[in-house]
Amino acid sequence: MSAVEHSAIAQQRGNWASTSWLGFTLVGAIILFALVTPLAFPADPAKQSLRHVFAGPDLAAPFGYDHLGRSLMARLAHALRLSLSIAGAAVLSSSVVGIAIGVLAAWQGGWVDRFASLVADSFLALPGLLLVLMVSAIVPLQPLAFWVGLTLVLWIEYFRLTRAAVQRLINSPAVEASRLLGFGPIYVFRRHFWPALAPMMLTLAAFGMATAIMSIAALGFVSVGMRPPTPELGLMMVELLPYYREAPFALMTPVIATFFVLLGLNLVAGGARS
């Protein structure tokens, strides 16, 4: 490979690294806003005041007020904490389940592999939002229902990628040497499998977070997600949509927040993928 090609590859990697760091910075700023806002502006996101209906910004509510006189900043911070918490929990649980089953299926092979693949294909046959709705009808607590439903949707990709990667690595000379020397599955996974899986898992985690947040917002937007007066991004959009002429900024607040969350996560995923 020529020096010019080396330079081009290094430049491309540097660009992707900067893109990834930009995504991390954006997501970190949003998380910081969601955590610090209740401390700096301790307003009740559900408190109504007819005197403040669509009132402008003030010291108590720097983003102004909505159609019921509630602080938009307090509601937005609560909505971001709720969506990010559910999405993060779903990504964590689905990655643990998917990676564990994927490694087990590739390691054991035979009927274990066939059964795990059959279960994954069965879940894949159901639309993701439909599966979340089915779980919501069974589980009474809405955040818990979203967590369980999104976990059932997201674990499949972790399983399929892990299974494919481990099947390629399991017969490699390094893995065979470790097994012949008596090292157990935990050592083999940590020493040989995880270094190859980690970049893919980071990409999947970022995309999974984005998918989960979009799913929660989409269900809230069609009024089958979180119930009022719970602040949630999609629910805030649908509540403020009839007033887009009177208060366009109020409607754009959750829209812009959702856009920047998804943009940051996609930048993180793009940088990790490179």
Side-chain angles (χ1 to χ4, degrees), residues 12 21 47 63 74-75 79 91 95-96 98 102 115 117 126-127 138 140 152-153 168 176 200 210 239 246 249 258 273:
Q12 185 180 18
W21 278 113
K47 183 180 180 181
F63 287 179
R75 291 183 64 78
V91 166
S95 62
V96 171
F115 178 74
S117 300
L126 290 172
I138 300 171
L152 294 177
V153 171
R168 290 196 308 268
E176 289 290 343
M200 294 187 295
E239 286 180 341
E246 294 87 346
F249 177 76
T258 304
R273 183 173 51 195

Side-chain angles (χ1 to χ4, degrees), residues 25-39 77 81 84:
T25 303
L26 189 56
V27 174
I30 292 169
I31 294 174
L32 186 64
F33 166 80
L35 295 177
V36 170
T37 295
L39 302 177
R81 290 197 306 273
L84 290 170

Side-chain angles (χ1 to χ4, degrees), residues 89-255:
V91 166
L92 179 62
S93 57
S94 61
S95 62
V96 171
V97 172
I99 293 172
I101 298 177
V103 171
L104 179 64
W107 191 290
Q108 296 294 326
W111 70 268
V112 175
D113 185 20
R114 291 192 296 272
F115 178 74
S117 300
L118 178 62
V119 172
D121 291 341
S122 301
F123 277 99
L124 196 61
L126 290 172
L129 290 180
L130 177 60
L131 186 57
V132 175
L133 283 175
M134 291 170 59
V135 175
S136 300
I138 300 171
V139 180
L141 296 177
Q142 207 67 22
L144 180 62
F146 276 127
W147 170 60
V148 174
L150 290 169
T151 299
L152 294 177
V153 171
L154 296 175
W155 76 274
I156 302 168
E157 291 302 322
Y158 291 97
F159 161 75
R160 297 172 71 183
L161 281 181
T162 301
R163 173 177 172 269
V166 172
Q167 282 180 336
R168 290 196 308 268
L169 295 171
I170 200 166
N171 293 321
S172 65
V175 174
E176 289 290 343
S178 295
R179 296 172 70 178
L180 289 174
L181 289 172
F183 291 108
I186 295 178
Y187 174 86
V188 173
F189 174 81
R190 179 169 50 86
R191 181 68 178 83
H192 301 290
F193 295 160
W194 182 244
L197 291 173
M200 294 187 295
M201 295 304 109
L202 178 58
T203 302
L204 271 186
F207 278 131
M209 286 279 291
T211 300
I213 290 172
M214 284 192 296
S215 300
I216 297 169
L219 292 174
F221 191 80
V222 296
S223 301
V224 292
M226 295 295 175
R227 302 289 184 265
T230 302
E232 189 274 318
L233 295 172
L235 187 58
M236 289 178 66
M237 295 178 202
V238 75
E239 286 180 341
L240 293 166
L241 187 59
Y243 309 99
Y244 72 97
R245 291 184 183 274
E246 294 87 346
F249 177 76
L251 174 61
M252 291 306 296
T253 299
V255 174

Side-chain angles (χ1 to χ4, degrees), residues 21-31 259-261 263-265 267:
W21 278 113
L22 177 61
F24 276 116
T25 303
L26 189 56
V27 174
I30 292 169
I31 294 174
F259 169 77
F260 279 115
V261 170
L263 175 63
L265 290 171
L267 289 176

